[in-house]
Amino acid sequence: MRYATSPKPKIAIVGGGFSGAAVAARLLRSTKYDVEMIESRPRVGPGLAYGDAQPYHILNVPAGRMSFWTERPRHFLEWAKRNGPELGWPEAAMAEAHSYLPRELYGFYVAEQLERTDREVSEYHGRRLLHRRATAMTLDHDRDVFRLALDNGESVRAEAVIIATGHGRPTRSWQVTGRGAAYVEYPWSKEATAHLNSVAPVLIIGTGLTMVDTVLRLKREGHCGHITAISRHGLMPRRRGDSEACVLELGVREASFGVRCLFEAAREAISRNRGDWQAVVDGLRPISEHLWSALSLTEKRRWLRHVQPIWNVHRHRMPEESAETIAALIAEDRLEVSACFVEEIEMSGMEARVRLRPRGTTRSRTHTFGRVINCTPGRSDLASMGSPLLADMEKKGLARANALRCGLDCDESGALLDALGRRLSGAFALGPMRRGLLFEASAVPDICCQADDLAQVVAAFLSSDDRQPKERDVHAIGLAR
Ligand SMILES: Cc1cc2nc3c(=O)[nH]c(=O)nc-3n(C[C@H](O)[C@H](O)[C@H](O)COP(=O)(O)OP(=O)(O)OC[C@H]3O[C@@H](n4cnc5c(N)ncnc54)[C@H](O)[C@@H]3O)c2cc1C
């Protein structure tokens, strides 16, 4: 991959994680334009989920459903069988469609797909993928031309821009005061476990799959002190079973269709399936977008507030091996999971004093930990995501939060809506940034479908009659290089 500049880039993608890589590869294959990708990481493709994983972190979707290419569902599986052993995973040679393979291996796969596509199209068609190692800070739009200003002082000019900036920073509703290294905001960083006394008590904020990964990492790295994991509801992911998804025929039958109706229908389906809730949860997946789009805004808010935490622990389940380890740690009283709120964290040298309030009580107590690791999900509210680019776009009216305040507002094709709700011609969003409009916007199979459609939408947009290059206009507003 080159680090050059193109005299006239057409498509700019902000974010080089899985979403950016998926749409870039499709655009390179199906359009005649160069693609410029802005990403501060040295390697594009794996992103947060697959770039920061340890060898023992396992995918939570089976290999048979993790292909980079929608039209070749077994592509990842076949690649892993061929390349896994050479890359240090001999067991991958025996993988089957239902096997759960390492996330790190998947990161190699994604990076290779993008690099290979880039090589092929540049050799045979002269199109290129240009990686700019930088962070996009601001976006301007004038007469069909976008200009992204980067943190290294450069700028990128494009006629279509795709925002694929992924997950926001972890959620934080508490104050952190004092100085020291005992509080870690990013669970995948080296600092999360660096210089940790092996018997020091650890607090993990968040009880989802990131907590599970962090507990496994602490154990692997020799930590044997007590771990407390807390969240609003104190719910942990369920253990993954062998159930096959059942076929559900939940129709949107009534005008009053809502969360309550859904709950009742799901309960009926579980009892029809002799209590097999996993089959029902998985059976909901093919129809979840349809059901989500049928809910009113009020009902969607009810779902997010009251049902989402319960849904998450049933939908995003723990691999068998991880579940065994977690259960053993709980049984040995080395891991405790509870429903608590963090009120304040005060760092002092190698320790952090944390004021915690158990759910359902008004009295808080202060506890001391050797490390506090924030494993809460990424923020989705634009205002608190900590992205200068998104804040700038919102300030200039080029983008707005969606009605649920959990991502960018866009239409069904992924086109961004501006502050007044009008299509911002040529600007699109992809991946977790489409949460809210879509029920499932983050898993690989969902992102691949979004990327397939978006590549076509962008290609059609750039080749449409009213999208001929307007050099005169460009010079007039001083954006041409
Ligand atoms: C830990 C974890 C494990 C997962 N496991 C699975 C799994 O097993 N199976 C599955 O189907 N799904 C899984 N997912 C979900 C899914 O695959 C990810 O959500 C997906 O990888 C999202 O990719 P992304 O590119 O949208 O976001 P990210 O991976 O977050 O990438 C976004 C990129 O944008 C860059 N960026 C952000 N802002 C800017 C800016 N202003 N300028 C330039 N660059 C910017 C960031 O540096 C980052 O690299 C997992 C998610 C996580 C977090």
Side-chain angles (χ1 to χ4, degrees):
M1 207 156 300
R2 287 157 297 275
Y3 296 86
T5 53
S6 157
K8 199 172 173 229
K10 286 273 187 182
I11 306 169
I13 300 176
V14 185
F18 184 85
S19 302
V23 73
R26 286 151 172 82
L27 286 165
L28 285 168
R29 276 182 162 191
S30 63
T31 70
K32 54 181 193 280
Y33 308 110
D34 286 347
V35 175
E36 193 142 344
M37 182 177 269
I38 301 133
E39 167 61 60
S40 59
R41 289 171 186 258
R43 202 165 57 130
V44 289
L48 165 77
Y50 315 111
D52 295 342
Q54 300 293 325
Y56 46 86
H57 287 147
I58 303 296
L59 292 168
N60 54 35
V61 173
R65 290 190 31 227
M66 288 294 284
S67 174
F68 189 82
W69 305 107
T70 323
E71 69 282 8
R72 295 181 60 189
R74 290 175 64 86
H75 191 263
F76 169 57
L77 175 62
E78 283 154 13
W79 181 94
K81 284 162 88 90
R82 256 192 339 270
N83 298 284
E86 204 178 302
L87 290 166
W89 283 277
E91 63 283 7
M94 309 299 288
E96 294 183 46
H98 56 78
S99 307
Y100 291 87
L101 294 174
R103 287 216 299 263
E104 200 181 18
L105 178 65
Y106 190 71
F108 287 120
Y109 165 71
V110 176
E112 197 201 281
Q113 297 316 300
L114 188 57
E115 279 161 16
R116 182 184 289 252
T117 309
D118 178 40
R119 258 199 321 274
E120 284 168 6
V121 296
S122 77
E123 199 174 325
Y124 297 111
H125 306 286
R127 297 192 290 277
R128 299 181 307 169
L129 173 67
L130 305 160
H131 174 196
R132 295 242 199 176
R133 271 200 74 183
T135 299
M137 303 301 282
T138 61
L139 178 73
D140 287 289
H141 179 234
D142 203 344
R143 303 194 211 182
D144 296 345
V145 179
F146 291 96
R147 195 177 66 113
L148 286 153
L150 313 186
D151 63 346
N152 60 7
E154 294 176 3
S155 66
V156 171
R157 178 185 160 279
E159 283 162 45
V161 64
I162 298 172
I163 306 295
T165 49
H167 305 271
R169 289 199 309 224
T171 316
R172 195 175 103 187
S173 56
W174 49 87
Q175 283 261 354
V176 180
T177 58
R179 283 173 164 269
Y183 174 72
V184 179
E185 183 88 342
Y186 186 65
W188 311 108
S189 64
K190 285 199 186 76
E191 291 74 40
T193 53
H195 312 297
L196 174 64
N197 181 323
S198 63
V199 293
V202 171
L203 174 69
I204 297 180
I205 309 172
T207 57
L209 286 174
T210 305
M211 175 279 284
V212 173
D213 284 347
T214 305
V215 170
L216 296 182
R217 176 173 167 193
L218 285 164
K219 188 167 180 287
R220 286 264 176 165
E221 294 181 10
H223 179 262
C224 49
H226 189 264
I227 303 171
T228 308
I230 57 154
S231 64
R232 264 189 320 144
H233 295 85
L235 297 172
M236 269 206 313
R238 299 296 189 260
R239 182 188 290 248
R240 194 183 286 145
D242 299 326
S243 310
E244 288 282 318
C246 63
V247 177
L248 288 177
E249 283 167 15
L250 294 183
V252 182
R253 286 165 298 206
E254 304 158 29
S256 62
F257 173 74
V259 171
R260 191 180 293 272
C261 272
L262 255 176
F263 240 87
E264 276 162 19
R267 199 176 287 141
E268 271 172 34
I270 292 171
S271 72
R272 270 200 312 278
N273 272 277
R274 295 181 295 279
D276 187 351
W277 59 265
Q278 303 209 28
V280 174
V281 168
D282 294 348
L284 278 167
R285 210 171 141 58
I287 52 173
S288 58
E289 290 306 336
H290 168 65
L291 296 174
W292 182 247
S293 63
L295 289 177
S296 67
L297 193 57
T298 313
E299 287 296 295
K300 283 179 179 160
R301 288 199 179 110
R302 276 182 77 193
W303 173 280
L304 291 178
R305 180 148 188 78
H306 302 294
V307 187
Q308 190 75 29
I310 303 167
W311 170 258
N312 282 346
V313 296
H314 291 86
R315 162 85 179 82
H316 305 291
R317 304 191 282 269
M318 264 189 277
E320 186 67 23
E321 273 174 62
S322 314
E324 291 293 332
T325 309
I326 295 290
L329 289 171
I330 292 175
E332 291 162 21
D333 203 20
R334 281 173 55 195
L335 171 65
E336 179 192 346
V337 179
S338 62
C340 268
F341 297 91
V342 178
E343 293 189 335
E344 194 179 7
I345 298 178
E346 188 196 343
M347 279 196 282
S348 165
M350 297 304 286
E351 288 183 341
R353 282 194 288 278
V354 185
R355 212 168 69 223
L356 292 176
R357 181 171 58 79
R359 189 181 176 90
T361 68
T362 50
R363 192 172 293 168
S364 49
R365 277 186 56 193
T366 300
H367 305 257
T368 302
F369 297 95
R371 187 69 38 98
V372 178
I373 308 171
N374 187 355
C375 292
T376 55
R379 296 177 213 206
S380 50
D381 183 359
L382 288 196
S384 61
M385 276 179 117
S387 162
L389 174 68
L390 297 177
D392 176 73
M393 289 170 66
E394 199 177 22
K395 196 174 88 195
K396 290 174 181 155
L398 295 178
R400 66 178 188 183
N402 61 32
L404 293 166
R405 305 204 67 77
C406 56
L408 284 167
D409 205 4
C410 45
D411 70 11
E412 277 167 13
S413 72
L416 285 190
L417 302 183
D418 69 10
L420 298 175
R422 299 168 306 197
R423 254 175 183 222
L424 178 59
S425 187
F428 306 90
L430 179 68
M433 292 311 303
R434 286 203 206 170
R435 277 172 298 208
L437 176 68
L438 299 174
F439 183 66
E440 300 268 7
S442 299
V444 161
D446 306 304
I447 296 174
C448 286
C449 291
Q450 286 182 39
D452 288 344
D453 294 345
L454 185 57
Q456 288 188 24
V457 169
V458 173
F461 167 75
L462 287 174
S463 59
S464 62
D465 288 347
D466 58 343
R467 284 287 322 146
Q468 295 310 312
K470 296 184 175 75
E471 286 304 320
R472 195 169 40 80
D473 290 347
V474 171
H475 284 291
I477 58 172
L479 289 179
R481 290 193 174 164

mmCIF file of all heavy atoms in Angstrom, residues 26 61-79 96-98 106 109 444-445 448:
data_model
loop_
_atom_site.group_PDB
_atom_site.id
_atom_site.type_symbol
_atom_site.label_atom_id
_atom_site.label_comp_id
_atom_site.label_asym_id
_atom_site.label_seq_id
_atom_site.Cartn_x
_atom_site.Cartn_y
_atom_site.Cartn_z
ATOM 1 N N ARG A 26 -14.600 -2.924 -2.172
ATOM 2 C CA ARG A 26 -15.698 -3.014 -3.143
ATOM 3 C C ARG A 26 -15.655 -1.849 -4.130
ATOM 4 O O ARG A 26 -15.924 -2.021 -5.317
ATOM 5 C CB ARG A 26 -17.040 -3.054 -2.399
ATOM 6 C CG ARG A 26 -17.265 -4.421 -1.734
ATOM 7 C CD ARG A 26 -18.128 -4.306 -0.505
ATOM 8 N NE ARG A 26 -18.510 -5.597 0.048
ATOM 9 C CZ ARG A 26 -17.738 -6.335 0.849
ATOM 10 N NH1 ARG A 26 -16.522 -5.915 1.188
ATOM 11 N NH2 ARG A 26 -18.173 -7.495 1.318
ATOM 12 N N VAL A 61 -18.534 -14.882 16.170
ATOM 13 C CA VAL A 61 -19.380 -15.342 15.061
ATOM 14 C C VAL A 61 -18.602 -16.484 14.392
ATOM 15 O O VAL A 61 -17.385 -16.376 14.217
ATOM 16 C CB VAL A 61 -19.653 -14.183 14.064
ATOM 17 C CG1 VAL A 61 -20.368 -14.670 12.821
ATOM 18 C CG2 VAL A 61 -20.457 -13.069 14.738
ATOM 19 N N PRO A 62 -19.276 -17.598 14.025
ATOM 20 C CA PRO A 62 -18.532 -18.728 13.457
ATOM 21 C C PRO A 62 -17.879 -18.402 12.116
ATOM 22 O O PRO A 62 -18.356 -17.530 11.373
ATOM 23 C CB PRO A 62 -19.591 -19.827 13.312
ATOM 24 C CG PRO A 62 -20.901 -19.177 13.495
ATOM 25 C CD PRO A 62 -20.700 -17.879 14.204
ATOM 26 N N ALA A 63 -16.794 -19.132 11.826
ATOM 27 C CA ALA A 63 -15.981 -18.863 10.635
ATOM 28 C C ALA A 63 -16.818 -18.840 9.353
ATOM 29 O O ALA A 63 -16.559 -18.041 8.455
ATOM 30 C CB ALA A 63 -14.880 -19.916 10.526
ATOM 31 N N GLY A 64 -17.821 -19.687 9.293
ATOM 32 C CA GLY A 64 -18.651 -19.778 8.090
ATOM 33 C C GLY A 64 -19.473 -18.532 7.823
ATOM 34 O O GLY A 64 -20.091 -18.413 6.761
ATOM 35 N N ARG A 65 -19.508 -17.597 8.808
ATOM 36 C CA ARG A 65 -20.292 -16.364 8.588
ATOM 37 C C ARG A 65 -19.420 -15.123 8.653
ATOM 38 O O ARG A 65 -19.919 -14.017 8.809
ATOM 39 C CB ARG A 65 -21.415 -16.291 9.630
ATOM 40 C CG ARG A 65 -22.485 -17.349 9.371
ATOM 41 C CD ARG A 65 -23.724 -17.190 10.214
ATOM 42 N NE ARG A 65 -24.014 -15.819 10.533
ATOM 43 C CZ ARG A 65 -24.326 -15.394 11.758
ATOM 44 N NH1 ARG A 65 -24.381 -16.236 12.752
ATOM 45 N NH2 ARG A 65 -24.585 -14.128 11.978
ATOM 46 N N MET A 66 -18.083 -15.299 8.547
ATOM 47 C CA MET A 66 -17.196 -14.146 8.703
ATOM 48 C C MET A 66 -16.488 -13.760 7.405
ATOM 49 O O MET A 66 -15.487 -13.046 7.423
ATOM 50 C CB MET A 66 -16.145 -14.437 9.790
ATOM 51 C CG MET A 66 -16.695 -14.438 11.203
ATOM 52 S SD MET A 66 -17.286 -12.818 11.768
ATOM 53 C CE MET A 66 -15.745 -11.966 12.099
ATOM 54 N N SER A 67 -17.013 -14.202 6.259
ATOM 55 C CA SER A 67 -16.336 -13.871 5.002
ATOM 56 C C SER A 67 -16.342 -12.362 4.752
ATOM 57 O O SER A 67 -17.315 -11.671 5.055
ATOM 58 C CB SER A 67 -17.024 -14.580 3.836
ATOM 59 O OG SER A 67 -16.451 -14.144 2.628
ATOM 60 N N PHE A 68 -15.248 -11.883 4.179
ATOM 61 C CA PHE A 68 -15.135 -10.478 3.781
ATOM 62 C C PHE A 68 -16.007 -10.220 2.548
ATOM 63 O O PHE A 68 -16.431 -9.111 2.299
ATOM 64 C CB PHE A 68 -13.660 -10.215 3.446
ATOM 65 C CG PHE A 68 -13.289 -8.778 3.207
ATOM 66 C CD1 PHE A 68 -13.037 -7.927 4.267
ATOM 67 C CD2 PHE A 68 -13.150 -8.284 1.915
ATOM 68 C CE1 PHE A 68 -12.664 -6.603 4.049
ATOM 69 C CE2 PHE A 68 -12.774 -6.968 1.685
ATOM 70 C CZ PHE A 68 -12.531 -6.127 2.763
ATOM 71 N N TRP A 69 -16.228 -11.289 1.776
ATOM 72 C CA TRP A 69 -16.951 -11.160 0.512
ATOM 73 C C TRP A 69 -18.300 -11.854 0.621
ATOM 74 O O TRP A 69 -18.354 -13.073 0.746
ATOM 75 C CB TRP A 69 -16.135 -11.784 -0.635
ATOM 76 C CG TRP A 69 -14.751 -11.223 -0.747
ATOM 77 C CD1 TRP A 69 -13.589 -11.843 -0.398
ATOM 78 C CD2 TRP A 69 -14.385 -9.926 -1.229
ATOM 79 N NE1 TRP A 69 -12.520 -11.014 -0.638
ATOM 80 C CE2 TRP A 69 -12.976 -9.822 -1.148
ATOM 81 C CE3 TRP A 69 -15.092 -8.829 -1.721
ATOM 82 C CZ2 TRP A 69 -12.274 -8.687 -1.540
ATOM 83 C CZ3 TRP A 69 -14.396 -7.699 -2.109
ATOM 84 C CH2 TRP A 69 -13.014 -7.629 -2.025
ATOM 85 N N THR A 70 -19.374 -11.082 0.542
ATOM 86 C CA THR A 70 -20.723 -11.631 0.727
ATOM 87 C C THR A 70 -21.022 -12.761 -0.253
ATOM 88 O O THR A 70 -21.668 -13.744 0.101
ATOM 89 C CB THR A 70 -21.770 -10.505 0.514
ATOM 90 O OG1 THR A 70 -21.234 -9.303 1.043
ATOM 91 C CG2 THR A 70 -23.084 -10.811 1.182
ATOM 92 N N GLU A 71 -20.532 -12.616 -1.494
ATOM 93 C CA GLU A 71 -20.882 -13.605 -2.523
ATOM 94 C C GLU A 71 -20.089 -14.904 -2.358
ATOM 95 O O GLU A 71 -20.370 -15.884 -3.041
ATOM 96 C CB GLU A 71 -20.693 -13.009 -3.932
ATOM 97 C CG GLU A 71 -19.261 -12.739 -4.379
ATOM 98 C CD GLU A 71 -18.636 -11.461 -3.780
ATOM 99 O OE1 GLU A 71 -19.260 -10.849 -2.899
ATOM 100 O OE2 GLU A 71 -17.512 -11.107 -4.184
ATOM 101 N N ARG A 72 -19.100 -14.921 -1.447
ATOM 102 C CA ARG A 72 -18.340 -16.161 -1.206
ATOM 103 C C ARG A 72 -18.340 -16.446 0.295
ATOM 104 O O ARG A 72 -17.363 -16.171 0.996
ATOM 105 C CB ARG A 72 -16.913 -16.007 -1.720
ATOM 106 C CG ARG A 72 -16.874 -15.843 -3.243
ATOM 107 C CD ARG A 72 -15.473 -15.711 -3.755
ATOM 108 N NE ARG A 72 -14.661 -16.886 -3.435
ATOM 109 C CZ ARG A 72 -13.352 -16.951 -3.630
ATOM 110 N NH1 ARG A 72 -12.706 -15.916 -4.136
ATOM 111 N NH2 ARG A 72 -12.679 -18.036 -3.320
ATOM 112 N N PRO A 73 -19.436 -17.016 0.811
ATOM 113 C CA PRO A 73 -19.610 -17.150 2.264
ATOM 114 C C PRO A 73 -18.528 -17.985 2.960
ATOM 115 O O PRO A 73 -18.254 -17.777 4.127
ATOM 116 C CB PRO A 73 -20.982 -17.814 2.420
ATOM 117 C CG PRO A 73 -21.594 -17.875 1.079
ATOM 118 C CD PRO A 73 -20.589 -17.498 0.043
ATOM 119 N N ARG A 74 -17.883 -18.918 2.235
ATOM 120 C CA ARG A 74 -16.883 -19.775 2.886
ATOM 121 C C ARG A 74 -15.464 -19.228 2.720
ATOM 122 O O ARG A 74 -14.487 -19.901 3.045
ATOM 123 C CB ARG A 74 -16.960 -21.195 2.300
ATOM 124 C CG ARG A 74 -18.230 -21.934 2.705
ATOM 125 C CD ARG A 74 -18.325 -23.263 2.008
ATOM 126 N NE ARG A 74 -17.264 -24.181 2.386
ATOM 127 C CZ ARG A 74 -17.295 -24.982 3.437
ATOM 128 N NH1 ARG A 74 -18.345 -24.977 4.227
ATOM 129 N NH2 ARG A 74 -16.291 -25.787 3.711
ATOM 130 N N HIS A 75 -15.359 -18.015 2.203
ATOM 131 C CA HIS A 75 -14.051 -17.485 1.847
ATOM 132 C C HIS A 75 -13.104 -17.418 3.045
ATOM 133 O O HIS A 75 -11.954 -17.850 2.965
ATOM 134 C CB HIS A 75 -14.221 -16.094 1.220
ATOM 135 C CG HIS A 75 -12.976 -15.570 0.596
ATOM 136 N ND1 HIS A 75 -12.124 -14.712 1.250
ATOM 137 C CD2 HIS A 75 -12.413 -15.806 -0.608
ATOM 138 C CE1 HIS A 75 -11.107 -14.434 0.460
ATOM 139 N NE2 HIS A 75 -11.254 -15.079 -0.666
ATOM 140 N N PHE A 76 -13.585 -16.903 4.187
ATOM 141 C CA PHE A 76 -12.698 -16.801 5.362
ATOM 142 C C PHE A 76 -12.307 -18.193 5.856
ATOM 143 O O PHE A 76 -11.145 -18.454 6.174
ATOM 144 C CB PHE A 76 -13.361 -15.999 6.494
ATOM 145 C CG PHE A 76 -12.604 -16.088 7.797
ATOM 146 C CD1 PHE A 76 -11.263 -15.713 7.868
ATOM 147 C CD2 PHE A 76 -13.213 -16.569 8.954
ATOM 148 C CE1 PHE A 76 -10.539 -15.810 9.061
ATOM 149 C CE2 PHE A 76 -12.499 -16.669 10.148
ATOM 150 C CZ PHE A 76 -11.167 -16.293 10.200
ATOM 151 N N LEU A 77 -13.283 -19.082 5.885
ATOM 152 C CA LEU A 77 -13.017 -20.436 6.363
ATOM 153 C C LEU A 77 -11.909 -21.086 5.524
ATOM 154 O O LEU A 77 -10.932 -21.635 6.060
ATOM 155 C CB LEU A 77 -14.314 -21.254 6.285
ATOM 156 C CG LEU A 77 -14.213 -22.724 6.639
ATOM 157 C CD1 LEU A 77 -13.766 -22.897 8.087
ATOM 158 C CD2 LEU A 77 -15.560 -23.422 6.426
ATOM 159 N N GLU A 78 -12.052 -20.971 4.207
ATOM 160 C CA GLU A 78 -11.048 -21.590 3.328
ATOM 161 C C GLU A 78 -9.687 -20.915 3.482
ATOM 162 O O GLU A 78 -8.648 -21.569 3.515
ATOM 163 C CB GLU A 78 -11.526 -21.534 1.865
ATOM 164 C CG GLU A 78 -12.593 -22.587 1.593
ATOM 165 C CD GLU A 78 -13.522 -22.232 0.458
ATOM 166 O OE1 GLU A 78 -13.203 -21.288 -0.296
ATOM 167 O OE2 GLU A 78 -14.575 -22.889 0.341
ATOM 168 N N TRP A 79 -9.702 -19.605 3.603
ATOM 169 C CA TRP A 79 -8.448 -18.852 3.789
ATOM 170 C C TRP A 79 -7.774 -19.299 5.087
ATOM 171 O O TRP A 79 -6.555 -19.523 5.129
ATOM 172 C CB TRP A 79 -8.769 -17.350 3.824
ATOM 173 C CG TRP A 79 -7.565 -16.475 3.995
ATOM 174 C CD1 TRP A 79 -6.834 -15.888 3.008
ATOM 175 C CD2 TRP A 79 -6.941 -16.101 5.239
ATOM 176 N NE1 TRP A 79 -5.795 -15.166 3.555
ATOM 177 C CE2 TRP A 79 -5.832 -15.280 4.916
ATOM 178 C CE3 TRP A 79 -7.201 -16.369 6.576
ATOM 179 C CZ2 TRP A 79 -4.995 -14.731 5.890
ATOM 180 C CZ3 TRP A 79 -6.366 -15.831 7.543
ATOM 181 C CH2 TRP A 79 -5.270 -15.025 7.202
ATOM 182 N N GLU A 96 -14.038 -25.755 10.801
ATOM 183 C CA GLU A 96 -15.264 -25.997 10.040
ATOM 184 C C GLU A 96 -16.115 -24.736 10.101
ATOM 185 O O GLU A 96 -15.795 -23.806 10.846
ATOM 186 C CB GLU A 96 -16.008 -27.178 10.643
ATOM 187 C CG GLU A 96 -15.206 -28.461 10.483
ATOM 188 C CD GLU A 96 -15.954 -29.651 11.019
ATOM 189 O OE1 GLU A 96 -17.147 -29.758 10.704
ATOM 190 O OE2 GLU A 96 -15.340 -30.431 11.748
ATOM 191 N N ALA A 97 -17.219 -24.750 9.352
ATOM 192 C CA ALA A 97 -18.039 -23.525 9.272
ATOM 193 C C ALA A 97 -18.505 -23.063 10.646
ATOM 194 O O ALA A 97 -18.672 -21.873 10.888
ATOM 195 C CB ALA A 97 -19.230 -23.773 8.361
ATOM 196 N N HIS A 98 -18.698 -24.009 11.581
ATOM 197 C CA HIS A 98 -19.206 -23.611 12.899
ATOM 198 C C HIS A 98 -18.075 -23.312 13.899
ATOM 199 O O HIS A 98 -18.326 -23.044 15.071
ATOM 200 C CB HIS A 98 -20.146 -24.687 13.460
ATOM 201 C CG HIS A 98 -19.498 -26.036 13.543
ATOM 202 N ND1 HIS A 98 -18.627 -26.357 14.552
ATOM 203 C CD2 HIS A 98 -19.566 -27.108 12.735
ATOM 204 C CE1 HIS A 98 -18.197 -27.590 14.358
ATOM 205 N NE2 HIS A 98 -18.745 -28.067 13.260
ATOM 206 N N TYR A 106 -8.199 -13.277 12.156
ATOM 207 C CA TYR A 106 -9.167 -12.598 11.299
ATOM 208 C C TYR A 106 -8.632 -11.228 10.847
ATOM 209 O O TYR A 106 -8.845 -10.813 9.704
ATOM 210 C CB TYR A 106 -10.503 -12.438 12.040
ATOM 211 C CG TYR A 106 -11.597 -11.977 11.121
ATOM 212 C CD1 TYR A 106 -12.123 -12.836 10.161
ATOM 213 C CD2 TYR A 106 -12.078 -10.673 11.178
ATOM 214 C CE1 TYR A 106 -13.108 -12.406 9.285
ATOM 215 C CE2 TYR A 106 -13.061 -10.240 10.313
ATOM 216 C CZ TYR A 106 -13.569 -11.109 9.365
ATOM 217 O OH TYR A 106 -14.538 -10.676 8.490
ATOM 218 N N TYR A 109 -6.492 -11.677 7.952
ATOM 219 C CA TYR A 109 -7.323 -11.991 6.778
ATOM 220 C C TYR A 109 -7.873 -10.700 6.151
ATOM 221 O O TYR A 109 -7.757 -10.494 4.942
ATOM 222 C CB TYR A 109 -8.457 -12.916 7.226
ATOM 223 C CG TYR A 109 -9.606 -13.066 6.267
ATOM 224 C CD1 TYR A 109 -9.456 -13.771 5.072
ATOM 225 C CD2 TYR A 109 -10.861 -12.524 6.562
ATOM 226 C CE1 TYR A 109 -10.531 -13.928 4.197
ATOM 227 C CE2 TYR A 109 -11.930 -12.676 5.700
ATOM 228 C CZ TYR A 109 -11.760 -13.373 4.516
ATOM 229 O OH TYR A 109 -12.819 -13.520 3.653
ATOM 230 N N VAL A 444 -19.819 -8.250 11.479
ATOM 231 C CA VAL A 444 -19.228 -8.387 10.143
ATOM 232 C C VAL A 444 -20.272 -8.680 9.050
ATOM 233 O O VAL A 444 -20.282 -8.003 8.014
ATOM 234 C CB VAL A 444 -18.100 -9.452 10.179
ATOM 235 C CG1 VAL A 444 -17.773 -9.981 8.794
ATOM 236 C CG2 VAL A 444 -16.869 -8.842 10.838
ATOM 237 N N PRO A 445 -21.170 -9.655 9.242
ATOM 238 C CA PRO A 445 -22.124 -9.922 8.153
ATOM 239 C C PRO A 445 -22.977 -8.695 7.819
ATOM 240 O O PRO A 445 -23.292 -8.450 6.653
ATOM 241 C CB PRO A 445 -23.003 -11.054 8.715
ATOM 242 C CG PRO A 445 -22.189 -11.674 9.812
ATOM 243 C CD PRO A 445 -21.334 -10.586 10.378
ATOM 244 N N CYS A 448 -20.788 -6.086 5.934
ATOM 245 C CA CYS A 448 -20.540 -6.510 4.538
ATOM 246 C C CYS A 448 -21.742 -6.173 3.657
ATOM 247 O O CYS A 448 -21.570 -5.694 2.528
ATOM 248 C CB CYS A 448 -20.242 -8.006 4.482
ATOM 249 S SG CYS A 448 -18.600 -8.389 5.109
#
